[in-house]
Amino acid sequence: MYQEESPCHYRRALEVVSSKWTVLVFYELEQETLRYSNLLQRIEGITKKMLTQTLRQLERDGLVHRHEYETVPPAVDYSLTSLGLTLIEPMRVLHRWTDAHYDSVLESRRKFDSAQEHQNNPKKN
Amino acid sequence: MYQEESPCHYRRALEVVSSKWTVLVFYELEQETLRYSNLLQRIEGITKKMLTQTLRQLERDGLVHRHEYETVPPAVDYSLTSLGLTLIEPMRVLHRWTDAHYDSVLESRRKFDSAQEHQNNPKKN
DNA sequence: CAGCATCCGACTGGATACTG
DNA sequence: CAGTATCCAGTCGGATGCTG
């Protein structure tokens, strides 16, 4: 069983995937190779700094391939590596869970928060 | 396809699961109901503050149930809710990916880092 | 075009001490 | 026992400006 193995290992691995922008970059690259500026446009709210940082991380982890064309001005495009492709299915599973259960999470939060309210303002009951 | 749906939605949902300690707490509770102090002992390196914060979040999200016994001194135990149980399989899938591919990630990092070294110190070649 | 460098406020999380 | 409160260093990430 998975319980017997190092949970730290597991946790560190999750970090590969769970940073704020990683999922969104992955999301775009899953469909097609894209250039830096394409990614910048498509991923709403991301800054150059964060995009670069995220791509570097993914490249370092071997999940994304960076291809630089020797042109002026420079052009660079990014695509998933074969290792990156293996992550798509696990991410889909998580995505499916999201679709199926995220409403329940939101619902639970509402209940929890209003319960907290009643704790703090038990006046009008 | 999942691409057509809001990636933001997806990202926010990932946050449910991807905080530093969440996975480890889940990991322990997957097997059995545990008391606060049990969790504190079992999860190496976690502080009371972080454990409490993580448990509160999970409770708020409806993934963990908090049961408080009206005794002195107080006793509290935690278990997964039925919603929490639905998350186990997705997490297992991610875990399996870890086992299968994390070495590749580490290997890729080594290569990337030593390539960076050569960039910075191209002396001895 | 595809970044890198810098500044800086905000948030995170660890250590420690205290409490019903 | 199961937390809460406070302090504080470190990190994250946004804004802005510069460059090959």
Side-chain angles (χ1 to χ4, degrees):
Chain A
M1 276 287 122
Y2 290 102
Q3 277 70 11
E4 307 310 324
E5 298 164 12
S6 159
C8 285
H9 200 226
Y10 179 22
R11 178 164 74 71
R12 309 207 73 205
L14 257 191
E15 286 167 11
V16 170
V17 133
S18 68
S19 104
K20 188 180 177 188
W21 301 106
T22 304
V23 182
L24 299 179
V25 169
F26 231 86
Y27 207 85
E28 298 296 335
L29 291 181
E30 177 176 352
Q31 307 168 74
E32 46 180 331
T33 295
L34 288 172
R35 297 183 54 175
Y36 184 85
S37 47
N38 289 139
L39 288 167
L40 203 57
Q41 288 165 5
R42 290 178 181 225
I43 303 175
E44 194 180 317
I46 199 169
T47 59
K48 284 179 173 187
K49 179 180 174 180
M50 282 301 101
L51 180 56
T52 301
Q53 190 173 303
T54 305
L55 287 169
R56 280 295 168 286
Q57 245 158 230
L58 289 172
E59 189 193 356
R60 189 170 104 100
D61 289 349
L63 300 173
V64 154
H65 179 68
R66 178 177 185 277
H67 185 74
E68 191 174 346
Y69 298 91
E70 301 278 329
T71 58
V72 179
V76 180
D77 60 28
Y78 293 90
S79 57
L80 295 188
T81 62
S82 54
L83 183 59
L85 289 171
T86 66
L87 240 181
I88 289 181
E89 186 49 29
M91 289 176 85
R92 282 238 171 92
V93 172
L94 219 38
H95 199 162
R96 253 174 254 139
W97 183 87
T98 292
D99 291 337
H101 301 290
Y102 195 52
D103 286 347
S104 304
V105 170
L106 293 179
E107 168 70 6
S108 175
R109 282 184 192 168
R110 268 196 304 279
K111 280 184 187 167
F112 186 89
D113 292 345
S114 71
Q116 290 301 88
E117 275 306 302
H118 284 42
Q119 287 283 95
N120 301 338
N121 310 12
K123 305 163 189 175
K124 314 252 174 183
N125 275 342
Chain B
M1 278 285 126
Y2 290 101
Q3 277 70 13
E4 308 310 325
E5 297 164 14
S6 160
C8 286
H9 199 227
Y10 180 21
R11 178 165 74 72
R12 309 207 73 206
L14 258 190
E15 284 167 13
V16 169
V17 133
S18 69
S19 105
K20 189 180 177 187
W21 301 106
T22 304
V23 183
L24 299 179
V25 169
F26 231 86
Y27 208 83
E28 298 296 334
L29 292 181
E30 177 176 353
Q31 306 168 76
E32 47 181 330
T33 294
L34 287 172
R35 296 184 55 176
Y36 183 85
S37 46
N38 290 139
L39 288 167
L40 202 57
Q41 288 165 3
R42 289 177 182 228
I43 304 175
E44 192 179 317
I46 199 169
T47 59
K48 284 179 172 185
K49 179 180 173 181
M50 282 301 101
L51 180 57
T52 302
Q53 190 173 305
T54 304
L55 287 169
R56 281 293 169 286
Q57 244 158 231
L58 289 172
E59 190 193 356
R60 188 171 104 103
D61 290 349
L63 301 174
V64 154
H65 179 69
R66 177 177 185 278
H67 186 74
E68 190 174 347
Y69 298 90
E70 302 277 329
T71 57
V72 178
V76 179
D77 59 28
Y78 293 90
S79 56
L80 295 187
T81 62
S82 54
L83 183 59
L85 289 171
T86 66
L87 241 182
I88 289 181
E89 187 49 29
M91 290 177 87
R92 283 237 171 94
V93 172
L94 219 38
H95 199 162
R96 255 174 251 139
W97 184 87
T98 292
D99 292 336
H101 301 290
Y102 194 53
D103 286 346
S104 305
V105 170
L106 293 179
E107 167 70 5
S108 174
R109 281 183 192 169
R110 268 196 304 278
K111 280 184 186 168
F112 186 89
D113 292 345
S114 71
Q116 291 301 87
E117 275 307 301
H118 285 42
Q119 287 285 93
N120 301 337
N121 309 11
K123 305 162 189 174
K124 314 249 174 185
N125 276 339

